Amino acid sequence: MDTVERWGLFEVSAEGASSGNPFVERHIQATFEGAHERVTVEGFYDGDGVYRARFMPSYEGEYRYVLDGDYGGGRREGRFTVTPPRAGNHGPVRVAGTWHFAYADGTPYHSIGTTCYVWELQSDARIAETLQSLRESAFNKLRFCVFPKHYDYNLSEPRSYPYEGTPMDSSVLTRENFGEYTFKTEGNHFDYTRFNPAHFRHVERCIGELQKLGIEADLILLHPYDRWGFCSMTKEQDDLYFRYAVARFAAYRNVWWSLANEYDLFPTKDLTDWERLGRLLVERDPYGHLRSIHNCIAFYDHTRPWITHCSIQRQDLYKTAELVNEWRERFRKPVVLDEIAYEGNIQHGWGNLSPQEMTRRFWEAACRGGYPGHGETYLDEGDNPALWWSHGCKLRGESWKRFRLLSDILKQTPGPGLAPYDRCGWDEVCAVPENEPFQPVKSYYLYYYSFMRPSFREFYFDDTTPFEVRVIDTWEMTVEDRGVFSGRFRVELPGKEYMAIQIRRAD
Amino acid sequence: MDTVERWGLFEVSAEGASSGNPFVERHIQATFEGAHERVTVEGFYDGDGVYRARFMPSYEGEYRYVLDGDYGGGRREGRFTVTPPRAGNHGPVRVAGTWHFAYADGTPYHSIGTTCYVWELQSDARIAETLQSLRESAFNKLRFCVFPKHYDYNLSEPRSYPYEGTPMDSSVLTRENFGEYTFKTEGNHFDYTRFNPAHFRHVERCIGELQKLGIEADLILLHPYDRWGFCSMTKEQDDLYFRYAVARFAAYRNVWWSLANEYDLFPTKDLTDWERLGRLLVERDPYGHLRSIHNCIAFYDHTRPWITHCSIQRQDLYKTAELVNEWRERFRKPVVLDEIAYEGNIQHGWGNLSPQEMTRRFWEAACRGGYPGHGETYLDEGDNPALWWSHGCKLRGESWKRFRLLSDILKQTPGPGLAPYDRCGWDEVCAVPENEPFQPVKSYYLYYYSFMRPSFREFYFDDTTPFEVRVIDTWEMTVEDRGVFSGRFRVELPGKEYMAIQIRRAD
């Protein structure tokens, strides 16, 4: 009998009709049933007369399924066994402790994200290079688009299109004129009701590769950097696409749904569209994968019930991660800073942070109970430039090397994650475990001094509790044990920027 | 006949009564009259039976004076000639162009301030060292207190006290307990109605030394870092002190009045006190020297008519100079950032900025049409520590060296000063001349990129106007001529932080 691991992807397929437009005219669904769940999913047409339905089981044990519909292949039934998850498979990520995440098996998930908008639409060689870069990094979430991208440094053709048809002639594009072609559909001949299954199969392979690396795939379903009409389809076409995306991708445990990048830049969509698409995901995705929507200027109302976590682009040139406390209070959901500007040196103001500043924003975000996201935009002026932010390939910066240490420190947090400590000084950032009762001291404190350079700091929690003290240089990536202290104690610091002090109860 | 230069200090003195308390019981006033002004001032008792009255003439030519009062020495008359000002004497500083300053002779004054709270109450050797440091710097304003200071790193005795009497025993003070003695008066035996003229004469000598260096003396009349009762005197005692200060100091052309440092920390004063003292200065100071009041947390209402300019301590750990635009709009007065934290490495969060960050705050403030202030707090743990912030002595940091370049650039501004440019990009700071009509381009643009690191920027003002372009590395202190450009042009940058571009009409 067929087997699949818990939270693995089980797929059934069948031959059916291929005439007409099967994407619109044919339907297939499947019901999967075990002792603890019964799930009905919509299947999808995968081209060449093949239909598929996919399922991610949440429990171990025996399952059976029934496949049916007007797809032209009749009813099918079968059985399979769900085995325990293999090492490294912790299930999909869920919200935990209001402001944090955990895998379905309870393991805390501390998001350390990065963005490569269309890494998967590059050449095989580039994709392999990106995967190697990710393997060497501490990133455990990658944001990227299902559709190709049209923007500065992103003018060449993608490896494939999501729809049948032919694109406009891109040889007319230059850095100077590309803006005139944004949101234009002239010259394109796409049928927005006929998907290109090869495009989606390729995206799936990439999701699968990320899964092997333990990286969540934060799929951006729509974005406004477009010259092919994909960002200005009709409501019916959008719905068709979202259903197709759910049918194909939802059974991948590492998928997150990002409805849009910079939702507020779409010229032909309004809030009713996003609300409809959000509801569609809630209704169609049987696994409740994480759902968010990302802004350019104006935040979406992240309190909307279909939104699982805030996906935030910074709104201020200077203050970014520093606002996490405020956003936590306002939205009462995990605060994921999916765009806090990029390390790099391009001309755009959002794309030329120093690695020190990017690393600082990461620690600020983390020590305020939020989750930072990285990106890189180092100038590459060639015909087919490779900037990590869009293309992936090589990490050329310095901040990413510092995130392994942050990730290691975050894993030492007792409980689901860090909360900002409301009793710390005005001139320090301090995190404590989320939801931990005051006993009368906390079990754990993580102080961060950002760009400040104190030569020492003095502490007093109570008269007797012993605390282990470690001094962390977040930039130089050193961790120094300073021993056990109690009562009033002083911690010497090197008078440098980017220092942190970790203080743990030692009794 | 006696002569004095225009805006110089002319003093007349007379012997009088010394019994009782002449500071309270005796009065002396003088009227000075020339062709264009007639000024009556209050004189003051300078001890040892000597009374003085001082005058700063605003015009050249022949003057006469009459000295009189119940001081015990009778009426005196005399004549003197006011000569043209000597080189370097531009008169007192006034508000100009709503948000800026100019000397009385019309020369623009671009404030580049620093703070050494009690530099003048140190030893002669230290005072000489401070003056030498100032001579080597670009500072043209110094904030300091008339009264001694009691605070961390400021526990030793001052060289003199402003009042007759004896202080508490300071040998009991430690870094740990000094807070318990703040605002306390026990153990002190001062008569708050009997000034110590030697103390004031010494302060005057220091004001005079600053004047020789072309430095404005921003006199802090009251401050809350006190263990001697000077910050909690009665209303009558405060008024007596303010009148005495005006009588002694107002004729120094380089004096500014800062009513208080951190006015909101005084336990025994409320707004009616500050308003009364502000009014007293307006009424008593015949020259209308600049008047301000400095906050800890809550801003004073800088729209009050007696306030000539905003004296601001930053209210946010992260954003400081960046808020100048907002404050300019809100108060419509010059915005002087008298405290934007200090370069240094002490334990306090306000006192351990890197020199890069301090320099960055200076350029941010200047390019937003404000005036930044410096301070330094490098750790010095000895019995009698010397930190520039309080004690003066040596400048040990790196930011001060960069202000000569900023000062030179500011002097190139057409008109009274810089205004934020409202048509620049969201990701840049740009200054243009204040109040310059749009013609259709400005005559001058100063772009600043702060911590951003663009590798190039593109400009377009109009098709034909030629512009001279210079690239400024504000940290490395280099200025590079890039030639003349017109139409659409691109300026290459090194992809480093802290760069500026100066663009001037070349036709």
Side-chain angles (χ1 to χ4, degrees), chain A residues 127-139:
Chain A
I127 290 172
E129 204 177 6
T130 305
L131 290 168
Q132 184 54 31
S133 298
L134 290 168
R135 193 172 290 118
E136 292 163 12
S137 79
F139 295 121

Side-chain angles (χ1 to χ4, degrees), chain A residues 456-459 485 488-492, chain B residues 175 379 381:
Chain A
F456 65 92
R457 295 292 279 202
E458 289 163 321
F459 295 90
F485 297 83
R488 197 170 299 281
F489 60 93
R490 169 170 163 146
V491 178
E492 302 295 332
Chain B
R175 273 205 52 224
L379 197 65
E381 291 264 32

